[in-house]
Amino acid sequence: MILVTGGAGFIGANFVLDWLATSDEPVINLDALTYAGNRETLAPLEGDARHLFVHGDICDRALVERLFAEHKPRAVVHFAAESHVDRSIDGPGAFVRTNVDGTFTLLEAARAHWSALPAGERELFRFLHVSTDEVYGSLGPNDPAFTETKTYEPNSPYSASKAASDHLVRAWHHTYGLPVLTTNCSNNYGHYQFPEKLIPLMIVNALAGKPLPIYGDGQNVRDWLYVGDHCSAIREVLARGRLGETYNVGGWNEMANLEIVHTLCALLDELRPSAAGSYARLVTYVKDRPGHDRRYAIDARKIERELGWRPAETFQSGIRKTVQWYLDNPGWIANVQSGAYRDWVARNYAGREVQP
Ligand code: NAD
Ligand code: DAU
């Protein structure tokens, strides 16, 4: 079996659902169910003996050690993190705790488990660390896309905490020989994404007739990847990645935020027209995110060259499926928009007076 951390979050839950749809290898899913964790996403696995959900914290060393001892996973796929940049600016402590201390705790427990394995099993063990392109910093308009050898220049508390975790993972390989793999991925989108990130927030706000808040001039560029493609990349790296290596994962799809939002408005105009007129009328410029990185771009040639992985979805196909999913699942949206979610939205957007 494999141990997945953060498997009730957006990407982790998609990964667990995809894994069990294509394999009978069981999953232990360790998740603290923070505001971003959602058991409802895992409802299709209710009663499925291949899925063991454990409500717990990756910083809890005794718990993590117990899971290794009882279940002897052959691999760890580590998603659990605090993942939202704006929240990291508002309160960085949780990011250092989970992303740095939590990764350290997992590495130490994995190392103790792996060291004690018989030779054959030791060789097969893997620790796959899921990270982000944000560790590489911000690009100018004509800079080449991030390769795996790009220097680390994290700019937000979130990306700094992820960079720290990447360095720990690297060191545990270099010093102790722990068989690690790291993936650095671009912006994901798709079903089950919590509506505090750009794409689901815009869909949910548009449907509610609320403003679509564009930070700054809306020209910040991200590379967008459909979540199912990210999950397939992780499966490939886990199966065949070279130990100690880093693989960049991206969608070959750079777009400015404003273009993303106009694409969403056009799709909603087609699929759920509003009597009040185009959803684009709701676009509202607000105060920028402090330290807002201007551009990210991923060079994903290494994973293609070594493992034959390329994204299957185009942005056009992936975003249409995503918008349709949010239209078809108003209950899921309503359930995640809890009191805690409303408090966050009020806090994050209160200080962002509308810009002309
Ligand atoms: P998410 O915020 O949706 O989910 C994170 C999950 O981790 C939640 O289920 C939460 O309950 C759990 N968690 C948080 N703290 C925990 C703790 N201390 N112990 C156990 N569980 C804990 O995040 P996501 O968007 O699914 O991202 C998953 C991973 O992928 C993260 O490591 C993130 O840095 C990385 N990543 C995300 C993106 C993206 O676009 N979303 C892109 C690249 C990399
Ligand atoms: O690049 C990978 C990263 O992508 C992941 O590591 C992070 O976990 C993930 O959250 C994401 O980070 P971003 O900061 O790029 O994602 P977010 O959806 O928060 O913002 C995307 C862009 O949209 C960014 O330039 C900020 C802008 N934005 C965001 C929000 C929430 C707005 O203009 N308005 C908004 O209301």
Side-chain angles (χ1 to χ4, degrees):
M1 64 165 49
I2 62 168
L3 170 62
V4 171
T5 71
F10 164 48
I11 306 172
N14 272 286
F15 179 84
V16 170
L17 290 166
D18 286 2
W19 181 271
L20 291 174
T22 53
S23 151
D24 275 333
E25 185 173 18
V27 173
I28 317 159
N29 185 348
L30 172 61
D31 196 296
L33 295 179
T34 67
Y35 78 92
N38 187 353
R39 292 277 327 243
E40 192 182 339
T41 305
L42 299 163
L45 299 176
E46 214 61 51
D48 188 327
R50 300 170 305 162
H51 180 237
L52 175 65
F53 185 82
V54 178
H55 181 191
D57 193 324
I58 57 166
C59 299
D60 181 344
R61 176 79 187 260
L63 169 65
V64 175
E65 281 180 350
R66 185 166 61 70
L67 293 178
F68 274 111
E70 277 178 17
H71 301 287
K72 304 189 177 14
R74 67 157 179 101
V76 177
V77 184
H78 176 33
F79 293 97
E82 290 290 340
S83 73
H84 186 33
V85 174
D86 292 317
R87 285 187 191 253
S88 82
I89 296 165
D90 187 54
F95 287 71
V96 174
R97 181 181 177 279
T98 286
N99 300 359
V100 186
D101 289 349
T103 301
F104 164 73
T105 304
L106 267 183
L107 283 167
E108 277 296 79
R111 180 165 77 90
H113 166 72
W114 166 77
S115 305
L117 287 173
E121 289 175 40
R122 262 171 73 97
E123 277 161 29
L124 293 177
F125 186 78
R126 296 288 181 271
F127 185 105
L128 191 152
H129 174 58
V130 179
S131 191
T132 170
D133 60 359
E134 299 203 10
V135 297
Y136 296 124
S138 185
L139 293 169
N142 300 315
D143 289 338
F146 301 133
T147 64
E148 289 79 358
T149 54
K150 163 80 177 65
T151 47
Y152 271 36
E153 296 176 35
N155 290 320
S156 71
Y158 163 67
S159 55
S161 67
K162 291 296 288 187
S165 67
D166 293 9
H167 291 323
L168 292 176
V169 171
R170 177 190 159 88
W172 260 240
H173 176 68
H174 189 83
T175 302
Y176 304 113
L178 189 70
V180 307
L181 299 152
T182 297
T183 54
N184 291 84
C185 186
S186 61
N187 285 58
N188 285 218
Y189 68 95
H191 47 328
Y192 301 124
Q193 187 168 30
F194 195 76
E196 65 179 0
K197 306 281 174 77
L198 181 75
I199 287 179
L201 180 89
M202 295 296 159
I203 298 171
V204 165
N205 277 16
L207 292 174
K210 292 184 180 163
L212 308 179
I214 309 285
Y215 295 168
D217 64 3
Q219 294 307 318
N220 301 68
V221 170
R222 300 290 183 265
D223 167 43
W224 292 94
L225 178 71
Y226 188 65
V227 66
D229 282 327
H230 187 188
C231 294
S232 73
I234 290 171
R235 291 197 300 274
E236 287 299 331
V237 173
L238 184 63
R240 295 186 296 116
R242 284 189 294 130
L243 295 186
E245 290 291 317
T246 286
Y247 292 91
N248 282 356
V249 185
W252 297 109
N253 188 64
E254 281 185 59
M255 282 172 86
N257 295 336
L258 198 56
E259 196 184 347
I260 294 281
V261 173
H262 279 293
T263 303
L264 292 171
C265 290
L267 271 169
L268 288 169
D269 287 342
E270 176 196 329
L271 299 170
R272 182 70 57 84
S274 161
S278 171
Y279 291 99
R281 76 188 188 283
L282 299 169
V283 166
T284 307
Y285 290 89
V286 300
K287 190 172 164 200
D288 209 352
R289 169 187 281 173
H292 196 174
D293 283 342
R294 193 65 175 168
R295 174 178 167 238
Y296 305 138
I298 279 272
D299 181 336
R301 281 179 296 178
K302 177 177 171 183
I303 188 172
E304 179 167 4
R305 197 172 56 243
E306 292 194 9
L307 306 178
W309 178 89
R310 261 190 84 83
E313 297 287 346
T314 63
F315 186 72
Q316 287 68 25
S317 63
I319 199 67
R320 183 173 280 275
K321 279 191 204 175
T322 303
V323 169
Q324 191 62 58
W325 186 86
Y326 280 91
L327 288 174
D328 292 343
N329 288 276
W332 186 91
I333 298 171
N335 289 346
V336 295
Q337 290 179 308
S338 64
Y341 173 81
R342 282 198 298 274
D343 290 348
W344 162 252
V345 170
R347 199 160 76 241
N348 190 41
Y349 294 98
R352 296 182 195 273
E353 67 279 11
V354 173
Q355 307 286 301

